[in-house]
Amino acid sequence: MKAVHRFGVCGAALALVVFAGAAGAQERQSNPDRPNPDRSNQDRPNSETRQNRGQAPADDNAEHPAPIPPEKTSVTHHTMTLGGKSLSYTATAGTLLVRDQDDKPYGSIFYVSYTLDSAEPKSRPVSFLYNGGPGSATLWLHMGSFGPMRVMTDSPKATAGPPFQLVENQDSLLDKTDLVFIDAPLTGYSRAVGKGTAKDFAGVDQDLRAFDRFIVRYLTLNQRWNSPKFLIGESYGTTRSAGLSDMLGGDGVQLNGIVLISSILNYGIEVPGYDMTYIGNLPSYAAAAWYFNKIPNKPKNLSDWVQQAREFAAGPYATALLAGHNLPDAELDSIAKQVSHFTGLSVDYVKEANLRISPTRFRKEVLRDERYTLGRYDMRFEGEDVDAAGENPSYDPSDSGIGGAFISALHDYLQRDLKYESTDAYRPSAETIGEWDWHHRASGFGRGGMQSQPDVAGDLAAAIRKNPHLKVFSANGYFDLATPFFITEYDLSHMQLPAELRGNVQFGYYPSGHMIYLNVEALHKLRADVAGFITGAGK
């Protein structure tokens, strides 16, 4: 595994800026995973990300119970060559029922598992993987990251049209762990059944309960209770993993490790008027400016450049923002020049924005002279707007550039290779999820009780304290502006862990965006890091 980064540059100034905790602010949006419509034309896209505005299903199952389908599976057998070795494995595409507190089925959850043939389940790790949203199916991780097959894209350019190419994935984790890809309730082929309704799943804790019950059911049905166990979540999937860490522990499911990919752990700092968003985003802006050669005398090493940006953001920049409009003119001029130095934006533009550059403004402004905008999920992607003079990008090229490839490949793969058939439509996103309930009953010292917005870093901290063998690996893309790495570092370094447990949390960084695996070279490194993590944490 690559050397870990110990986040330690966040000084007193930054702590003062974010002292409000759940009342603080950042533009770290509740970002739905693809393929939900691009939210990037809104600085704080609450209109659809905080509350998915699709209406609840017309047929209310509470009044008109839906039929309870039987659990079904399609089992196929395959071989692949990985690391020079031939692997035989079984793929199972199917559904499992989850039951409510009255032991009545209320949800049918779709999954695809890959299990290595002739392996000893007692010592063979099993990993549960999922995307986030909330309201996203898991086709992105399934078709792009660690499964036995992977769809090729032209990233960071828009992928050419079909036929799309599925290839044997040489970065699969199947040699290290069995893999279970889970579609969240109301996505993919997962459905509410019986008297279950969208409201039973469309919320932080409702979602956690469904996943908890699915995992327990899977472990029981497949006799995997004694296997080393891992969670691998992306985006809101990291929110889910952190929340599940303590919940599963309470059910006797002791986890060996958790992999957080492109994390968002604290939604409770979105109140306007605080400055954490600008501080947290600045190192990501610096990475993009480096990538697009907007830095005079550009440093050769991206990680060293980003570290300089971290130190500036947590120090002089945070102190300047803390002063608000009382910042003296001379200091304003000095800080503006430094912000310009790190972001590639003009000094005048930085001053006109009062030193506070929103993500959408940065994406529109940094390449304005070339009439390009940047992607939000992955700033390496470039887009073109009709109106080059506007303030906000009209779409996210890192979203639109890959959606067709992933969705088409998943449909074709399920039908042709996995022989799974259904009369239902596969839902890449939960268009009918209704309004998401963001309340969360948290655990953890100082963060317990009911929260109006989830701060699941406290749940994760509680799980680590209760299970001091639990390891966490945080994977971060330098060019991810949806879940910036500097904010993830802050959240994980503020779990108030005792000194002897702080080493349980490790970090990895990659020259990619939110979906780290879109950069094939980054995927190679990510696979190596996660494989090493599973091997170490599974002992």
Side-chain angles (χ1 to χ4, degrees):
M1 180 180 297
K2 66 186 290 184
V4 299
H5 170 78
R6 306 295 185 194
F7 176 59
V9 301
C10 191
L14 181 54
L16 286 171
V17 173
V18 296
F19 76 98
Q26 67 185 22
E27 276 188 22
R28 177 170 167 212
Q29 303 98 338
S30 44
N31 303 314
D33 284 60
R34 300 164 179 78
N36 290 351
D38 177 44
R39 322 300 190 198
S40 57
N41 60 345
Q42 306 166 50
D43 279 356
R44 189 175 305 281
N46 294 348
S47 63
E48 296 216 352
T49 61
R50 291 276 305 278
Q51 299 177 358
N52 284 318
R53 292 190 181 273
Q55 298 301 308
D59 52 336
D60 186 351
N61 290 0
E63 297 181 7
H64 307 285
I68 299 175
E71 296 177 334
K72 71 171 187 176
T73 58
S74 173
V75 179
T76 54
H77 301 280
H78 310 263
T79 59
M80 70 176 300
T81 301
L82 184 60
K85 297 181 179 179
S86 178
L87 301 180
S88 297
Y89 65 93
T90 297
T92 303
T95 57
L96 291 181
L97 295 173
V98 293
R99 297 174 178 270
D100 61 18
Q101 64 274 12
D102 298 320
D103 202 32
K104 303 293 185 182
Y106 76 112
S108 175
I109 307 301
F110 179 72
Y111 71 98
V112 177
S113 69
Y114 301 98
T115 55
L116 195 65
D117 296 344
S118 303
E120 174 55 55
K122 187 164 58 175
S123 58
R124 172 75 171 163
V126 57
S127 298
F128 299 94
L129 303 92
Y130 34 77
N131 281 101
S136 173
T138 303
L139 71 157
W140 313 104
L141 281 174
H142 190 181
M143 291 286 94
S145 64
F146 305 125
M149 302 296 291
R150 182 173 65 84
V151 62
M152 300 287 286
T153 72
D154 298 328
S155 302
K157 298 182 181 298
T159 299
F164 301 109
Q165 185 180 5
L166 271 177
V167 299
E168 198 171 77
N169 186 10
Q170 294 304 299
D171 292 299
S172 175
L173 286 172
L174 190 57
D175 59 336
K176 299 296 182 182
T177 176
D178 290 339
L179 303 165
V180 185
F181 294 89
I182 309 167
D183 280 342
L186 311 180
T187 75
Y189 290 126
S190 297
R191 299 289 187 267
V193 302
K195 293 186 178 181
T197 69
K199 291 183 179 179
D200 293 316
F201 302 104
V204 176
D205 288 353
Q206 297 92 317
D207 176 86
L208 289 175
R209 283 192 292 270
F211 271 82
D212 175 270
R213 290 164 181 169
F214 173 90
I215 290 172
V216 169
R217 171 69 176 150
Y218 183 91
L219 294 174
T220 301
L221 185 65
N222 294 280
Q223 301 179 19
R224 300 304 296 269
W225 274 91
N226 209 31
S227 299
K229 304 170 190 70
F230 294 84
L231 304 180
I232 303 177
E234 179 182 90
S235 195
Y236 183 85
T238 65
T239 311
R240 182 181 293 129
S241 290
L244 280 173
S245 64
D246 197 48
M247 181 179 286
L248 285 169
D251 288 335
V253 180
Q254 183 167 336
L255 297 171
N256 295 72
I258 297 175
V259 178
L260 305 173
I261 301 175
S262 304
S263 299
I264 177 164
L265 302 176
N266 185 359
Y267 282 87
I269 48 178
E270 292 186 330
V271 179
Y274 292 87
D275 290 320
M276 183 57 196
T277 177
Y278 310 109
I279 299 166
N281 286 334
L282 189 135
S284 297
Y285 298 161
W290 180 92
Y291 181 81
F292 287 105
N293 299 310
K294 293 295 180 178
I295 308 301
N297 302 316
K298 174 183 172 179
K300 292 183 178 180
N301 189 291
L302 173 59
S303 62
D304 290 345
W305 170 248
V306 166
Q307 180 59 23
Q308 294 178 42
R310 282 190 184 98
E311 293 170 359
F312 168 70
Y317 184 52
T319 301
L321 296 189
L322 181 63
H325 61 220
N326 295 318
L327 184 69
D329 289 344
E331 292 184 33
L332 172 64
D333 291 341
S334 174
I335 294 297
K337 290 178 182 178
Q338 294 178 75
V339 171
S340 172
H341 171 67
F342 281 108
T343 64
L345 302 173
S346 72
V347 174
D348 287 343
Y349 186 86
V350 172
K351 292 176 69 174
E352 288 168 359
N354 297 317
L355 305 179
R356 293 161 174 83
I357 311 298
S358 71
T360 51
R361 284 183 170 180
F362 178 79
R363 292 172 49 218
K364 184 74 174 183
E365 183 67 21
V366 70
L367 295 184
R368 186 186 294 274
D369 58 344
E370 302 174 48
R371 296 184 66 93
Y372 288 120
T373 60
L374 305 190
R376 174 168 167 263
Y377 289 107
D378 190 331
M379 289 184 286
R380 297 176 304 139
F381 284 74
E382 300 173 46
E384 294 184 77
D385 289 338
V386 172
D387 177 12
E391 184 177 9
N392 300 321
S394 61
Y395 70 102
D396 181 357
S398 62
D399 185 356
S400 60
I402 62 165
F406 272 80
I407 294 171
S408 297
L410 186 279
H411 277 280
D412 190 65
Y413 177 62
L414 288 179
Q415 294 171 352
R416 292 180 184 271
D417 291 57
L418 302 189
K419 312 301 181 185
Y420 188 85
E421 296 181 359
S422 176
T423 57
D424 290 338
Y426 187 89
R427 298 173 181 168
S429 59
E431 300 295 341
T432 57
I433 199 169
E435 184 174 316
W436 191 261
D437 177 7
W438 287 97
H439 290 85
H440 172 51
R441 186 168 296 281
S443 58
F445 177 77
R447 304 189 187 191
M450 183 61 73
Q451 300 170 344
S452 59
Q453 296 290 320
D455 173 11
V456 291
D459 299 69
L460 182 57
I464 294 173
R465 291 190 188 94
K466 296 172 186 176
N467 173 17
H469 301 285
L470 177 61
K471 301 296 194 296
V472 176
F473 181 72
S474 172
N476 305 270
Y478 281 126
F479 307 118
D480 177 7
L481 200 51
T483 56
F485 61 87
F486 195 48
I487 297 175
T488 297
E489 293 170 350
Y490 180 88
D491 290 340
L492 291 175
S493 67
H494 283 72
M495 293 194 295
Q496 306 306 324
L497 294 176
E500 64 271 16
L501 294 180
R502 293 170 194 166
N504 287 30
V505 182
Q506 300 174 327
F507 295 83
Y509 300 88
Y510 310 91
S512 193
H514 193 67
M515 299 170 73
I516 295 170
Y517 37 88
L518 289 183
N519 181 338
V520 177
E521 293 304 316
L523 175 58
H524 297 337
K525 296 173 61 180
L526 176 64
R527 191 270 178 197
D529 287 350
V530 175
F533 173 77
I534 289 174
T535 299
K539 294 180 179 179

